[in-house]
Amino acid sequence: MEALGIRFTELGDGFLRGTMPVDARTHQPYGLLHGGASVALAETLGSSAGMLAARGDAVVGLEINANHLRAVRSGLVTGTARPLHVGRSTQVWEIRIEDAAGKPVCISRITLALLPKPPASGQA
């Protein structure tokens, strides 16, 4: 998160929001926001939101996809993760990434598996 400048900015009822700068750290060779950076923001927000909703279980990613809708050259993008499904064994989150004007940049969806947390070291 630190390497890409990702920051959590808001936790609300049913969502988690964060930002990421569009600069040399997150550019692809043409000077645009790299699709992989958008996916990193989406995965960070979706997995973190899933962990908060898991109430003690561990979460791991099963699948993530992303549709890149608009190019961004500079500024800040904001991602918002919202649950589509929060079940006993899986969660599905939609992450909408927008530019500073509120226009959609990327729509992503992540599927998470819930796993019981292993016992602390030395415990059976």
Side-chain angles (χ1 to χ4, degrees), residues 66-118:
N67 294 103
H68 305 290
L69 308 174
R70 176 175 279 103
V72 179
R73 292 188 177 277
S74 63
L76 200 65
V77 291
T78 301
T80 304
R82 296 185 188 278
L84 298 176
H85 166 75
V86 178
R88 288 179 293 148
S89 60
T90 61
Q91 297 178 4
V92 179
W93 293 80
E94 179 182 73
I95 302 90
R96 179 183 174 99
I97 300 174
E98 299 174 338
D99 65 13
K103 294 180 180 178
V105 171
C106 177
I107 301 295
S108 182
R109 188 178 62 238
I110 187 169
T111 302
L112 305 170
L114 278 71
L115 304 172
K117 278 195 177 173

Side-chain angles (χ1 to χ4, degrees), residues 5-100:
I6 296 172
R7 298 193 185 281
F8 296 115
T9 59
E10 189 176 359
L11 174 62
D13 187 25
F15 73 92
L16 177 63
R17 186 167 290 136
T19 60
M20 181 178 68
V22 181
D23 59 20
R25 296 173 289 181
T26 57
H27 279 161
Q28 43 94 306
Y30 298 117
L32 304 172
L33 175 61
H34 194 292
S38 293
V39 173
L41 175 60
E43 175 114 20
T44 298
L45 293 172
S47 293
S48 297
M51 180 196 64
L52 292 170
R55 303 195 189 279
D57 287 335
V59 296
V60 295
L62 293 177
E63 190 270 343
I64 190 166
N65 67 50
N67 294 103
H68 305 290
L69 308 174
R70 176 175 279 103
V72 179
R73 292 188 177 277
S74 63
L76 200 65
V77 291
T78 301
T80 304
R82 296 185 188 278
L84 298 176
H85 166 75
V86 178
R88 288 179 293 148
S89 60
T90 61
Q91 297 178 4
V92 179
W93 293 80
E94 179 182 73
I95 302 90
R96 179 183 174 99
I97 300 174
E98 299 174 338
D99 65 13

